[in-house]
PDB file of all heavy atoms in Angstrom:
ATOM      1  N   VAL V   1     131.613  79.370 107.199  1.00  0.00           N
ATOM      2  CA  VAL V   1     130.657  78.680 108.172  1.00  0.00           C
ATOM      3  C   VAL V   1     130.627  77.260 107.789  1.00  0.00           C
ATOM      4  O   VAL V   1     130.215  76.868 106.684  1.00  0.00           O
ATOM      5  CB  VAL V   1     129.305  79.372 108.115  1.00  0.00           C
ATOM      6  CG1 VAL V   1     128.348  78.558 109.045  1.00  0.00           C
ATOM      7  CG2 VAL V   1     129.382  80.878 108.491  1.00  0.00           C
ATOM      8  N   PRO V   2     130.990  76.320 108.686  1.00  0.00           N
ATOM      9  CA  PRO V   2     130.895  74.900 108.351  1.00  0.00           C
ATOM     10  C   PRO V   2     129.574  74.389 107.917  1.00  0.00           C
ATOM     11  O   PRO V   2     128.532  74.918 108.471  1.00  0.00           O
ATOM     12  CB  PRO V   2     131.401  74.151 109.645  1.00  0.00           C
ATOM     13  CG  PRO V   2     132.130  75.307 110.389  1.00  0.00           C
ATOM     14  CD  PRO V   2     131.455  76.563 110.032  1.00  0.00           C
ATOM     15  N   ASP V   3     129.541  73.538 106.996  1.00  0.00           N
ATOM     16  CA  ASP V   3     128.294  72.906 106.623  1.00  0.00           C
ATOM     17  C   ASP V   3     127.804  72.028 107.780  1.00  0.00           C
ATOM     18  O   ASP V   3     128.512  71.679 108.691  1.00  0.00           O
ATOM     19  CB  ASP V   3     128.428  71.959 105.437  1.00  0.00           C
ATOM     20  CG  ASP V   3     128.819  72.722 104.160  1.00  0.00           C
ATOM     21  OD1 ASP V   3     128.492  73.939 104.015  1.00  0.00           O
ATOM     22  OD2 ASP V   3     129.481  72.181 103.231  1.00  0.00           O
ATOM     23  N   LYS V   4     126.473  71.749 107.780  1.00  0.00           N
ATOM     24  CA  LYS V   4     125.920  70.945 108.811  1.00  0.00           C
ATOM     25  C   LYS V   4     126.513  69.548 108.783  1.00  0.00           C
ATOM     26  O   LYS V   4     126.702  68.896 109.875  1.00  0.00           O
ATOM     27  CB  LYS V   4     124.379  70.816 108.663  1.00  0.00           C
ATOM     28  CG  LYS V   4     123.677  72.134 109.065  1.00  0.00           C
ATOM     29  CD  LYS V   4     122.156  71.967 109.068  1.00  0.00           C
ATOM     30  CE  LYS V   4     121.520  73.276 109.473  1.00  0.00           C
ATOM     31  NZ  LYS V   4     119.994  73.116 109.517  1.00  0.00           N
ATOM     32  N   VAL V   5     126.794  69.050 107.592  1.00  0.00           N
ATOM     33  CA  VAL V   5     127.429  67.729 107.380  1.00  0.00           C
ATOM     34  C   VAL V   5     128.600  67.941 106.472  1.00  0.00           C
ATOM     35  O   VAL V   5     128.419  68.345 105.284  1.00  0.00           O
ATOM     36  CB  VAL V   5     126.494  66.677 106.814  1.00  0.00           C
ATOM     37  CG1 VAL V   5     127.184  65.394 106.605  1.00  0.00           C
ATOM     38  CG2 VAL V   5     125.265  66.486 107.778  1.00  0.00           C
ATOM     39  N   TRP V   6     129.842  67.656 106.950  1.00  0.00           N
ATOM     40  CA  TRP V   6     131.040  67.871 106.146  1.00  0.00           C
ATOM     41  C   TRP V   6     131.077  66.849 105.067  1.00  0.00           C
ATOM     42  O   TRP V   6     130.716  65.641 105.263  1.00  0.00           O
ATOM     43  CB  TRP V   6     132.281  67.727 106.988  1.00  0.00           C
ATOM     44  CG  TRP V   6     133.515  68.042 106.294  1.00  0.00           C
ATOM     45  CD1 TRP V   6     134.170  69.234 106.127  1.00  0.00           C
ATOM     46  CD2 TRP V   6     134.406  67.049 105.721  1.00  0.00           C
ATOM     47  NE1 TRP V   6     135.331  69.108 105.364  1.00  0.00           N
ATOM     48  CE2 TRP V   6     135.514  67.720 105.092  1.00  0.00           C
ATOM     49  CE3 TRP V   6     134.337  65.625 105.539  1.00  0.00           C
ATOM     50  CZ2 TRP V   6     136.528  67.055 104.429  1.00  0.00           C
ATOM     51  CZ3 TRP V   6     135.316  65.027 104.841  1.00  0.00           C
ATOM     52  CH2 TRP V   6     136.435  65.711 104.269  1.00  0.00           C
ATOM     53  N   GLN V   7     131.523  67.246 103.882  1.00  0.00           N
ATOM     54  CA  GLN V   7     131.748  66.309 102.765  1.00  0.00           C
ATOM     55  C   GLN V   7     133.152  66.564 102.114  1.00  0.00           C
ATOM     56  O   GLN V   7     133.505  67.749 102.011  1.00  0.00           O
ATOM     57  CB  GLN V   7     130.606  66.483 101.741  1.00  0.00           C
ATOM     58  CG  GLN V   7     129.235  66.126 102.229  1.00  0.00           C
ATOM     59  CD  GLN V   7     128.285  66.019 101.054  1.00  0.00           C
ATOM     60  OE1 GLN V   7     128.641  65.752  99.903  1.00  0.00           O
ATOM     61  NE2 GLN V   7     126.997  66.232 101.406  1.00  0.00           N
ATOM     62  N   TRP V   8     133.784  65.539 101.817  1.00  0.00           N
ATOM     63  CA  TRP V   8     135.070  65.651 101.196  1.00  0.00           C
ATOM     64  C   TRP V   8     134.951  66.147  99.757  1.00  0.00           C
ATOM     65  O   TRP V   8     134.064  65.736  98.970  1.00  0.00           O
ATOM     66  CB  TRP V   8     135.803  64.279 101.179  1.00  0.00           C
ATOM     67  CG  TRP V   8     137.137  64.338 100.502  1.00  0.00           C
ATOM     68  CD1 TRP V   8     138.293  64.817 100.962  1.00  0.00           C
ATOM     69  CD2 TRP V   8     137.392  63.870  99.144  1.00  0.00           C
ATOM     70  NE1 TRP V   8     139.330  64.711 100.028  1.00  0.00           N
ATOM     71  CE2 TRP V   8     138.797  64.102  98.895  1.00  0.00           C
ATOM     72  CE3 TRP V   8     136.605  63.338  98.109  1.00  0.00           C
ATOM     73  CZ2 TRP V   8     139.392  63.785  97.669  1.00  0.00           C
ATOM     74  CZ3 TRP V   8     137.240  62.994  96.920  1.00  0.00           C
ATOM     75  CH2 TRP V   8     138.548  63.225  96.710  1.00  0.00           C
ATOM     76  N   LYS V   9     135.853  67.046  99.395  1.00  0.00           N
ATOM     77  CA  LYS V   9     135.844  67.595  98.122  1.00  0.00           C
ATOM     78  C   LYS V   9     137.307  67.445  97.532  1.00  0.00           C
ATOM     79  O   LYS V   9     138.264  67.673  98.301  1.00  0.00           O
ATOM     80  CB  LYS V   9     135.446  69.077  98.024  1.00  0.00           C
ATOM     81  CG  LYS V   9     134.024  69.318  98.451  1.00  0.00           C
ATOM     82  CD  LYS V   9     133.723  70.747  98.491  1.00  0.00           C
ATOM     83  CE  LYS V   9     132.303  71.008  99.040  1.00  0.00           C
ATOM     84  NZ  LYS V   9     131.993  72.454  99.120  1.00  0.00           N
ATOM     85  N   GLU V  10     137.443  67.072  96.203  1.00  0.00           N
ATOM     86  CA  GLU V  10     138.804  66.939  95.699  1.00  0.00           C
ATOM     87  C   GLU V  10     139.562  68.223  95.773  1.00  0.00           C
ATOM     88  O   GLU V  10     139.109  69.296  95.469  1.00  0.00           O
ATOM     89  CB  GLU V  10     138.673  66.485  94.258  1.00  0.00           C
ATOM     90  CG  GLU V  10     139.963  66.110  93.622  1.00  0.00           C
ATOM     91  CD  GLU V  10     139.895  65.470  92.295  1.00  0.00           C
ATOM     92  OE1 GLU V  10     138.695  65.273  91.815  1.00  0.00           O
ATOM     93  OE2 GLU V  10     140.860  65.167  91.637  1.00  0.00           O
ATOM     94  N   GLY V  11     140.772  68.108  96.324  1.00  0.00           N
ATOM     95  CA  GLY V  11     141.645  69.312  96.542  1.00  0.00           C
ATOM     96  C   GLY V  11     141.733  69.700  97.926  1.00  0.00           C
ATOM     97  O   GLY V  11     142.568  70.524  98.284  1.00  0.00           O
ATOM     98  N   ASN V  12     140.900  69.121  98.832  1.00  0.00           N
ATOM     99  CA  ASN V  12     140.975  69.376 100.252  1.00  0.00           C
ATOM    100  C   ASN V  12     142.347  68.932 100.799  1.00  0.00           C
ATOM    101  O   ASN V  12     142.815  67.805 100.403  1.00  0.00           O
ATOM    102  CB  ASN V  12     139.882  68.661 101.041  1.00  0.00           C
ATOM    103  CG  ASN V  12     138.619  69.321 100.969  1.00  0.00           C
ATOM    104  OD1 ASN V  12     138.479  70.366 100.340  1.00  0.00           O
ATOM    105  ND2 ASN V  12     137.628  68.758 101.579  1.00  0.00           N
ATOM    106  N   GLY V  13     143.038  69.641 101.671  1.00  0.00           N
ATOM    107  CA  GLY V  13     144.195  69.281 102.242  1.00  0.00           C
ATOM    108  C   GLY V  13     145.471  69.957 101.812  1.00  0.00           C
ATOM    109  O   GLY V  13     146.568  69.583 102.307  1.00  0.00           O
ATOM    110  N   GLY V  14     145.383  70.918 100.969  1.00  0.00           N
ATOM    111  CA  GLY V  14     146.624  71.654 100.593  1.00  0.00           C
ATOM    112  C   GLY V  14     147.652  70.822  99.981  1.00  0.00           C
ATOM    113  O   GLY V  14     147.404  70.128  98.987  1.00  0.00           O
ATOM    114  N   LYS V  15     148.912  70.883 100.468  1.00  0.00           N
ATOM    115  CA  LYS V  15     150.016  70.100  99.960  1.00  0.00           C
ATOM    116  C   LYS V  15     149.720  68.658  99.902  1.00  0.00           C
ATOM    117  O   LYS V  15     150.293  67.913  99.066  1.00  0.00           O
ATOM    118  CB  LYS V  15     151.213  70.386 100.793  1.00  0.00           C
ATOM    119  CG  LYS V  15     152.526  69.730 100.332  1.00  0.00           C
ATOM    120  CD  LYS V  15     153.755  70.104 101.175  1.00  0.00           C
ATOM    121  CE  LYS V  15     154.936  69.411 100.672  1.00  0.00           C
ATOM    122  NZ  LYS V  15     156.170  69.777 101.470  1.00  0.00           N
ATOM    123  N   PHE V  16     148.904  68.160 100.816  1.00  0.00           N
ATOM    124  CA  PHE V  16     148.659  66.741 100.885  1.00  0.00           C
ATOM    125  C   PHE V  16     147.322  66.288 100.187  1.00  0.00           C
ATOM    126  O   PHE V  16     146.803  65.178 100.464  1.00  0.00           O
ATOM    127  CB  PHE V  16     148.657  66.253 102.361  1.00  0.00           C
ATOM    128  CG  PHE V  16     149.937  66.775 103.038  1.00  0.00           C
ATOM    129  CD1 PHE V  16     149.923  67.850 103.829  1.00  0.00           C
ATOM    130  CD2 PHE V  16     151.085  65.991 102.895  1.00  0.00           C
ATOM    131  CE1 PHE V  16     151.102  68.236 104.492  1.00  0.00           C
ATOM    132  CE2 PHE V  16     152.289  66.404 103.562  1.00  0.00           C
ATOM    133  CZ  PHE V  16     152.300  67.539 104.323  1.00  0.00           C
ATOM    134  N   SER V  17     146.698  67.128  99.387  1.00  0.00           N
ATOM    135  CA  SER V  17     145.433  66.886  98.810  1.00  0.00           C
ATOM    136  C   SER V  17     145.414  65.673  97.894  1.00  0.00           C
ATOM    137  O   SER V  17     144.412  65.102  97.668  1.00  0.00           O
ATOM    138  CB  SER V  17     144.902  68.076  98.095  1.00  0.00           C
ATOM    139  OG  SER V  17     145.761  68.470  97.012  1.00  0.00           O
ATOM    140  N   ASN V  18     146.610  65.346  97.349  1.00  0.00           N
ATOM    141  CA  ASN V  18     146.658  64.233  96.388  1.00  0.00           C
ATOM    142  C   ASN V  18     146.617  62.933  97.075  1.00  0.00           C
ATOM    143  O   ASN V  18     146.403  61.894  96.439  1.00  0.00           O
ATOM    144  CB  ASN V  18     147.882  64.392  95.482  1.00  0.00           C
ATOM    145  CG  ASN V  18     149.116  64.130  96.302  1.00  0.00           C
ATOM    146  OD1 ASN V  18     149.297  64.686  97.420  1.00  0.00           O
ATOM    147  ND2 ASN V  18     150.123  63.443  95.751  1.00  0.00           N
ATOM    148  N   ILE V  19     146.806  62.809  98.386  1.00  0.00           N
ATOM    149  CA  ILE V  19     146.816  61.586  99.086  1.00  0.00           C
ATOM    150  C   ILE V  19     145.816  61.468 100.246  1.00  0.00           C
ATOM    151  O   ILE V  19     145.341  60.378 100.596  1.00  0.00           O
ATOM    152  CB  ILE V  19     148.226  61.199  99.680  1.00  0.00           C
ATOM    153  CG1 ILE V  19     148.728  62.325 100.626  1.00  0.00           C
ATOM    154  CG2 ILE V  19     149.188  60.970  98.571  1.00  0.00           C
ATOM    155  CD1 ILE V  19     149.956  61.996 101.321  1.00  0.00           C
ATOM    156  N   ASN V  20     145.387  62.597 100.824  1.00  0.00           N
ATOM    157  CA  ASN V  20     144.463  62.595 101.896  1.00  0.00           C
ATOM    158  C   ASN V  20     143.068  62.235 101.468  1.00  0.00           C
ATOM    159  O   ASN V  20     142.533  62.847 100.520  1.00  0.00           O
ATOM    160  CB  ASN V  20     144.498  63.904 102.697  1.00  0.00           C
ATOM    161  CG  ASN V  20     145.690  64.058 103.530  1.00  0.00           C
ATOM    162  OD1 ASN V  20     146.430  63.142 103.777  1.00  0.00           O
ATOM    163  ND2 ASN V  20     145.934  65.301 104.031  1.00  0.00           N
ATOM    164  N   ARG V  21     142.450  61.348 102.149  1.00  0.00           N
ATOM    165  CA  ARG V  21     141.019  60.925 101.937  1.00  0.00           C
ATOM    166  C   ARG V  21     140.440  60.662 103.344  1.00  0.00           C
ATOM    167  O   ARG V  21     141.113  60.317 104.248  1.00  0.00           O
ATOM    168  CB  ARG V  21     140.919  59.705 101.099  1.00  0.00           C
ATOM    169  CG  ARG V  21     141.531  59.810  99.721  1.00  0.00           C
ATOM    170  CD  ARG V  21     140.700  60.637  98.706  1.00  0.00           C
ATOM    171  NE  ARG V  21     141.219  60.586  97.395  1.00  0.00           N
ATOM    172  CZ  ARG V  21     142.258  61.329  96.955  1.00  0.00           C
ATOM    173  NH1 ARG V  21     142.894  62.115  97.770  1.00  0.00           N
ATOM    174  NH2 ARG V  21     142.648  61.196  95.745  1.00  0.00           N
ATOM    175  N   PRO V  22     139.116  60.742 103.394  1.00  0.00           N
ATOM    176  CA  PRO V  22     138.427  60.460 104.701  1.00  0.00           C
ATOM    177  C   PRO V  22     138.144  59.023 104.809  1.00  0.00           C
ATOM    178  O   PRO V  22     137.144  58.635 105.607  1.00  0.00           O
ATOM    179  CB  PRO V  22     137.165  61.339 104.596  1.00  0.00           C
ATOM    180  CG  PRO V  22     136.834  61.357 103.164  1.00  0.00           C
ATOM    181  CD  PRO V  22     138.143  61.366 102.481  1.00  0.00           C
ATOM    182  N   SER V  23     138.836  58.129 104.139  1.00  0.00           N
ATOM    183  CA  SER V  23     138.520  56.689 104.165  1.00  0.00           C
ATOM    184  C   SER V  23     139.809  55.957 104.290  1.00  0.00           C
ATOM    185  O   SER V  23     140.903  56.421 103.868  1.00  0.00           O
ATOM    186  CB  SER V  23     137.781  56.218 102.960  1.00  0.00           C
ATOM    187  OG  SER V  23     138.444  56.551 101.756  1.00  0.00           O
ATOM    188  N   SER V  24     139.700  54.744 104.781  1.00  0.00           N
ATOM    189  CA  SER V  24     140.948  53.874 104.945  1.00  0.00           C
ATOM    190  C   SER V  24     140.941  52.734 103.976  1.00  0.00           C
ATOM    191  O   SER V  24     139.980  52.534 103.157  1.00  0.00           O
ATOM    192  CB  SER V  24     141.048  53.364 106.423  1.00  0.00           C
ATOM    193  OG  SER V  24     139.910  52.546 106.632  1.00  0.00           O
ATOM    194  N   GLY V  25     141.999  51.918 104.073  1.00  0.00           N
ATOM    195  CA  GLY V  25     142.035  50.741 103.208  1.00  0.00           C
ATOM    196  C   GLY V  25     142.926  50.852 102.022  1.00  0.00           C
ATOM    197  O   GLY V  25     143.336  51.984 101.647  1.00  0.00           O
ATOM    198  N   PRO V  26     143.228  49.762 101.307  1.00  0.00           N
ATOM    199  CA  PRO V  26     144.093  49.813 100.167  1.00  0.00           C
ATOM    200  C   PRO V  26     143.475  50.491  98.906  1.00  0.00           C
ATOM    201  O   PRO V  26     142.259  50.423  98.780  1.00  0.00           O
ATOM    202  CB  PRO V  26     144.412  48.356  99.871  1.00  0.00           C
ATOM    203  CG  PRO V  26     143.201  47.635 100.403  1.00  0.00           C
ATOM    204  CD  PRO V  26     142.836  48.399 101.616  1.00  0.00           C
ATOM    205  N   ARG V  27     144.287  51.192  98.175  1.00  0.00           N
ATOM    206  CA  ARG V  27     143.769  51.832  96.956  1.00  0.00           C
ATOM    207  C   ARG V  27     144.333  51.141  95.678  1.00  0.00           C
ATOM    208  O   ARG V  27     143.887  51.342  94.599  1.00  0.00           O
ATOM    209  CB  ARG V  27     144.247  53.293  96.962  1.00  0.00           C
ATOM    210  CG  ARG V  27     143.660  54.082  98.123  1.00  0.00           C
ATOM    211  CD  ARG V  27     144.050  55.544  98.077  1.00  0.00           C
ATOM    212  NE  ARG V  27     143.681  56.249  99.306  1.00  0.00           N
ATOM    213  CZ  ARG V  27     144.123  57.412  99.613  1.00  0.00           C
ATOM    214  NH1 ARG V  27     144.969  58.087  98.805  1.00  0.00           N
ATOM    215  NH2 ARG V  27     143.749  57.969 100.743  1.00  0.00           N
ATOM    216  N   PHE V  28     145.321  50.252  95.819  1.00  0.00           N
ATOM    217  CA  PHE V  28     145.845  49.500  94.750  1.00  0.00           C
ATOM    218  C   PHE V  28     146.542  48.256  95.183  1.00  0.00           C
ATOM    219  O   PHE V  28     146.965  48.201  96.421  1.00  0.00           O
ATOM    220  CB  PHE V  28     146.831  50.407  93.889  1.00  0.00           C
ATOM    221  CG  PHE V  28     147.970  50.897  94.624  1.00  0.00           C
ATOM    222  CD1 PHE V  28     149.228  50.149  94.626  1.00  0.00           C
ATOM    223  CD2 PHE V  28     147.931  52.108  95.350  1.00  0.00           C
ATOM    224  CE1 PHE V  28     150.346  50.713  95.330  1.00  0.00           C
ATOM    225  CE2 PHE V  28     149.049  52.628  96.054  1.00  0.00           C
ATOM    226  CZ  PHE V  28     150.215  51.872  96.007  1.00  0.00           C
ATOM    227  N   GLU V  29     146.715  47.281  94.325  1.00  0.00           N
ATOM    228  CA  GLU V  29     147.315  46.040  94.703  1.00  0.00           C
ATOM    229  C   GLU V  29     148.785  46.061  94.476  1.00  0.00           C
ATOM    230  O   GLU V  29     149.289  46.384  93.343  1.00  0.00           O
ATOM    231  CB  GLU V  29     146.691  44.879  93.917  1.00  0.00           C
ATOM    232  CG  GLU V  29     145.278  44.586  94.194  1.00  0.00           C
ATOM    233  CD  GLU V  29     145.093  44.080  95.657  1.00  0.00           C
ATOM    234  OE1 GLU V  29     145.953  43.225  96.028  1.00  0.00           O
ATOM    235  OE2 GLU V  29     144.084  44.431  96.287  1.00  0.00           O
ATOM    236  N   GLN V  30     149.570  45.894  95.533  1.00  0.00           N
ATOM    237  CA  GLN V  30     151.032  45.773  95.435  1.00  0.00           C
ATOM    238  C   GLN V  30     151.629  45.170  96.605  1.00  0.00           C
ATOM    239  O   GLN V  30     151.407  45.709  97.769  1.00  0.00           O
ATOM    240  CB  GLN V  30     151.656  47.105  95.200  1.00  0.00           C
ATOM    241  CG  GLN V  30     153.146  47.121  94.959  1.00  0.00           C
ATOM    242  CD  GLN V  30     153.694  48.492  94.627  1.00  0.00           C
ATOM    243  OE1 GLN V  30     153.250  49.180  93.681  1.00  0.00           O
ATOM    244  NE2 GLN V  30     154.721  48.939  95.402  1.00  0.00           N
TER     245      GLN V  30
END
């Protein structure tokens, strides 16, 4: 049953959990 307000938890996303986040923008300078 979905929570009333969804929150991201580390490991969400299966195969892509190491890169998927609910936010945009750079994560490192290069």
Side-chain angles (χ1 to χ4, degrees):
V1 177
D3 295 334
K4 288 185 177 181
V5 178
W6 183 88
Q7 294 191 29
W8 176 78
K9 298 176 183 177
E10 190 171 355
N12 282 359
K15 181 176 181 178
F16 307 99
S17 61
N18 65 318
I19 56 172
N20 284 348
R21 300 286 187 279
S23 57
S24 63
R27 299 179 189 169
F28 58 95
E29 293 294 321
Q30 182 176 307

